[in-house]
Amino acid sequence: MTKYEILLFDVDDTLLDFDLAENAALDRMFKEENIAVTSEMIARYKEINESMWRAFERGELTKNTLHNTRFAVAFKEFGIEVDGAYFEALFQKYLCEAHHYVEGAYEVIAQLADHYHLYVVSNGVTATQNKRLVDAKLAPHFKDIFISEQTGYQKPMPAFFDYVFERIDDFDKDKTLIIGDSLTSDIKGGLLSGIDTCWFNIRNIENTSEIKPHYEINKLHDLFEVLNKQLV
């Protein structure tokens, strides 16, 4: 067996393709509301959204503030007044219906579930992430699903990871690996919490930050190579 026994997986852009899900949800939302948007407006929304998520990770912004204001803040720049909370509810409604796989996600998780204890660790919305994982038929392969909304903390906060660790039977940091696409959330959180980290560099970008993962992969199937190198 390998060194690792417990694998913690992020969801968005690790197991499920968030870009595809987000674009589909945004398209349906704006069509329903009869609002004409340009590619420039969508791109600006995504920039603002990304910035707000980073602030949330740093503890500078609450989840409620992020969700209930991001659409209002973004579209105000283009002279469009929208009810942020209403648009958020509509967005989540359509987002939870989208569960496009990251390449190889189902096959990799199904194989790993026979040999490892798998858990989900996500900063998403509880109801949305749970439904997407169920619809994608991934949920049964995980022993538990931990979402920031239910824990009261978020990645990369050590308190989030402490919450998770306390709820895993026979937990051992030395036998745990987190796999995720975000350096600032998954990898930083894992490092702060004293577990090994595997950065899923799905976009094949250069890491210019000071956050250094233990491993880096570009395809989920590459995870098998990482695990096989850790045979004990």
Side-chain angles (χ1 to χ4, degrees):
M1 62 182 297
T2 68
K3 167 185 175 181
Y4 302 111
E5 296 179 5
I6 300 167
L7 304 181
L8 310 179
F9 281 90
D10 177 47
V11 175
D12 289 316
D13 289 334
T14 300
L15 300 178
L16 300 178
D17 189 317
F18 184 75
D19 281 344
L20 287 177
E22 180 184 41
N23 289 339
L26 289 172
D27 184 61
R28 292 181 67 184
M29 180 177 72
F30 288 115
K31 282 183 178 177
E32 179 171 320
E33 293 301 307
N34 295 312
I35 295 179
V37 294
T38 64
S39 57
E40 177 190 3
M41 293 164 67
I42 295 297
R44 181 56 181 148
Y45 159 73
K46 290 186 176 183
E47 289 177 357
I48 290 172
N49 185 47
E50 178 72 14
S51 176
M52 293 179 79
W53 273 103
R54 298 290 82 80
F56 169 67
E57 290 173 3
R58 295 190 299 268
E60 299 169 1
L61 199 66
T62 68
K63 177 70 74 68
N64 283 341
T65 299
L66 187 162
H67 284 162
N68 293 329
T69 64
R70 56 181 173 177
F71 287 108
V73 169
F75 287 93
K76 187 175 183 179
E77 292 191 6
F78 297 93
I80 301 174
E81 297 289 337
V82 301
D83 183 329
Y86 170 77
F87 270 73
E88 180 63 28
L90 201 58
F91 176 70
Q92 292 298 332
K93 171 187 172 182
Y94 291 133
L95 184 65
C96 74
E97 295 176 5
H99 51 272
H100 308 81
Y101 293 114
V102 165
E103 181 184 353
Y106 183 83
E107 294 79 9
V108 169
I109 292 301
Q111 291 181 56
L112 291 175
D114 291 333
H115 306 284
Y116 299 88
H117 303 299
L118 308 185
Y119 296 86
V120 163
V121 288
S122 171
N123 272 352
V125 175
T126 302
T128 300
Q129 298 298 63
N130 281 334
K131 186 177 188 306
R132 294 173 71 214
L133 289 167
V134 168
D135 289 349
K137 297 180 171 53
L138 289 171
H141 296 297
F142 291 94
K143 291 187 172 295
D144 210 341
I145 295 172
F146 298 102
I147 313 294
S148 60
E149 188 177 55
Q150 76 191 52
T151 68
Y153 309 99
Q154 67 268 10
K155 299 177 295 183
M157 294 173 63
F160 173 89
F161 288 89
D162 289 341
Y163 180 100
V164 172
F165 299 164
E166 290 168 2
R167 288 159 177 80
I168 295 179
D169 292 336
D170 302 317
F171 178 75
D172 186 337
K173 284 189 178 184
D174 293 334
K175 297 180 179 179
T176 302
L177 178 70
I178 184 171
I179 303 96
D181 71 296
S182 173
L183 287 169
T184 57
S185 174
D186 307 306
I187 306 308
K188 182 178 180 179
L191 293 172
L192 289 173
S193 300
I195 61 173
D196 284 2
T197 59
C198 180
W199 181 34
F200 181 20
N201 186 4
I202 189 171
R203 295 180 180 83
N204 198 28
I205 60 175
E206 181 182 0
N207 180 9
T208 58
S209 74
E210 297 180 354
I211 303 169
K212 305 302 178 185
H214 294 81
Y215 314 102
E216 178 180 337
I217 60 176
N218 300 116
K219 300 282 187 181
L220 269 184
H221 279 99
D222 295 342
L223 183 58
F224 290 115
E225 183 178 353
V226 170
L227 296 172
N228 288 336
K229 285 182 179 179
Q230 298 301 317
L231 290 172
V232 296

